[in-house]
Amino acid sequence: MFYSLEGTLVMKKPGLAALSCGGVGFKCFVSDTTLRALPHPGERVRLFTHLTVRDDALDLYGFADEAEGEAFRLLIGVSGVGAQVALAILSQLPPDRLALAVAAEDAKAISAAQGVGSKTAQRVVLELKDKLGGFAMGDAADVQAAGAGAGGGAAADAVEALVAMGYSRSEAALAVGRLDPA
């Protein structure tokens, strides 16, 4: 219903931002990523939005850019992931890093978000595997070049060795993917 709101930032605090648009104040739930991108209160701002309609509430979610809004919509489409869990994931991993974690099948990075268990993180990886590629253009190609999650080859062995040394699967896959194959 609302694509975006543009107005004066009235208030910002963890999880919330309020914009005054034409004399009407709109309260938006926001991720930590969006909160960090907001200017000081009193300055003009534009938030891309998503409206959730329930029997007892109309909840408006705001995002600093369209990519985060799209990632939010994909996340709430995952079975068992609600709006607050999606915001928690996006607070931990911006869209490009989320796409990288999904491409690398790094459920551990996703489960680092507050309130996200390992089963939910694995479900996010499974259901979004083919949907998040556009968010991490170069990095996703590096991860795919590394054979992340492919289970075979020298690149996959190198990823597993780095994971055993303590790197996250997505960090390891990104590092191996950037190596020269020659």
Side-chain angles (χ1 to χ4, degrees):
M1 180 172 190
F2 298 111
Y3 177 71
S4 67
L5 294 174
E6 188 170 343
T8 304
L9 184 66
V10 176
M11 175 271 302
K12 69 176 188 176
K13 62 182 185 180
L16 290 173
L19 275 70
S20 177
C21 304
V24 177
F26 291 92
K27 176 180 81 172
C28 297
F29 295 99
V30 296
S31 69
D32 291 347
T33 304
T34 293
L35 192 65
R36 286 188 296 273
L38 292 175
H40 296 290
E43 296 184 35
R44 297 222 17 109
V45 68
R46 180 179 196 185
L47 287 179
F48 295 92
T49 59
H50 177 83
L51 178 66
T52 300
V53 179
R54 299 187 324 219
D55 289 341
D56 59 346
L58 297 173
D59 290 330
L60 193 58
Y61 297 88
F63 310 98
D65 56 45
E66 291 178 276
E68 188 179 22
E70 184 59 28
F72 175 83
R73 283 183 275 285
L74 288 171
L75 282 166
I76 62 173
V78 172
S79 173
V81 175
Q84 293 303 318
V85 170
L87 282 182
I89 292 171
L90 290 170
S91 291
Q92 184 71 28
L93 299 167
D96 58 341
R97 297 222 20 240
L98 174 63
L100 183 61
V102 168
E105 297 182 8
D106 189 1
K108 186 176 180 181
I110 297 168
S111 67
Q114 183 177 357
V116 180
S118 62
K119 287 185 181 181
T120 299
Q122 290 169 352
R123 205 166 31 249
V124 167
V125 168
L126 180 67
E127 293 187 29
L128 297 185
K129 185 86 169 147
D130 298 326
K131 297 179 184 177
L132 280 175
F135 291 108
M137 306 275 184
D139 291 345
D142 290 339
V143 169
Q144 288 172 350
D157 291 342
V159 169
E160 291 305 318
L162 288 170
V163 168
M165 292 172 54
Y167 289 92
S168 74
R169 183 168 298 282
S170 54
E171 290 172 331
L174 182 59
V176 171
R178 288 185 175 162
L179 294 175
D180 185 9

